[in-house]
Amino acid sequence: MYKKLNDKQRKRLHRKVHIRKSIYGTAVRPRMTVTRSNYNLYVQIINDDEGKTLASISTLEKDFASLKPDTEGAAKLGEALGTRLKDKKITTVVFDRNGYLYHGVIKALADGTRKAGIVF
């Protein structure tokens, strides 16, 4: 019934649970959560008080379909997300890396969002 996790998946899940205990998004400072796969990147801005997604962006969208989930693509996706957030008048977020290590693609995405003017 339950999927058996390998060591890498188990460690990520442990980090994810540990991080989510202390990170919470509000209307003033929503949570920015990142999910990645080998083929795509997904980012959501979530207000945990209401349980609603305020904004989202992914490489599945038509405008970003050409981006690969590497550091360059993540930086461009982060900048585009920053402009979307500016349009919705969101200037600060809480970064939820979702158990992924803050390195490579995840770091590039965060830096791209910061470059667009969003404060973590």
Side-chain angles (χ1 to χ4, degrees), residues 12 16 29-30 34 36 38 44 47-48 63 66-67 70 78-79 84 92 96:
R12 183 184 155 259
K16 178 180 176 176
R29 197 167 176 209
V34 179
R36 71 179 192 119
N38 289 338
Q44 287 183 316
N47 179 355
D48 289 320
D63 298 338
S66 63
L67 295 179
D70 56 2
E79 289 179 28
R84 283 190 187 182
T92 61
D96 178 9

Side-chain angles (χ1 to χ4, degrees), residues 65-82:
S66 63
L67 295 179
K68 295 180 181 176
D70 56 2
T71 54
E72 294 172 11
K76 290 178 185 174
L77 195 69
E79 289 179 28
L81 176 65

Side-chain angles (χ1 to χ4, degrees), residues 16-33:
K16 178 180 176 176
V17 170
H18 185 76
I19 291 168
R20 279 292 283 130
K21 282 192 274 185
S22 61
I23 293 180
Y24 190 79
T26 62
V28 177
R29 197 167 176 209
R31 177 171 53 101
M32 178 177 141
T33 184

Side-chain angles (χ1 to χ4, degrees), residues 1-118:
M1 187 183 276
Y2 292 105
K3 180 182 171 187
K4 188 164 183 164
L5 301 176
N6 64 27
D7 194 43
K8 187 174 182 179
Q9 293 169 330
R10 188 180 49 74
K11 285 180 181 178
R12 183 184 155 259
L13 183 64
H14 185 267
R15 283 191 305 267
K16 178 180 176 176
V17 170
H18 185 76
I19 291 168
R20 279 292 283 130
K21 282 192 274 185
S22 61
I23 293 180
Y24 190 79
T26 62
V28 177
R29 197 167 176 209
R31 177 171 53 101
M32 178 177 141
T33 184
V34 179
T35 306
R36 71 179 192 119
S37 70
N38 289 338
Y39 304 104
N40 293 302
L41 284 172
Y42 315 88
V43 184
Q44 287 183 316
I45 307 300
I46 303 168
N47 179 355
D48 289 320
D49 288 338
E50 298 177 8
K52 293 190 177 181
T53 300
L54 305 175
S56 66
I57 194 167
S58 76
T59 54
L60 292 176
E61 295 178 18
K62 192 180 286 186
D63 298 338
F64 307 111
S66 63
L67 295 179
K68 295 180 181 176
D70 56 2
T71 54
E72 294 172 11
K76 290 178 185 174
L77 195 69
E79 289 179 28
L81 176 65
T83 57
R84 283 190 187 182
L85 294 178
K86 288 284 188 180
D87 293 342
K88 293 188 181 247
K89 298 189 178 19
I90 298 172
T91 57
T92 61
V93 294
V94 178
F95 188 59
D96 178 9
R97 57 190 173 94
N98 213 1
Y100 299 109
L101 296 177
Y102 189 79
H103 181 69
V105 174
I106 304 299
K107 184 176 186 296
L109 181 75
D111 290 342
T113 307
R114 281 191 193 104
K115 187 176 178 184
I118 304 300

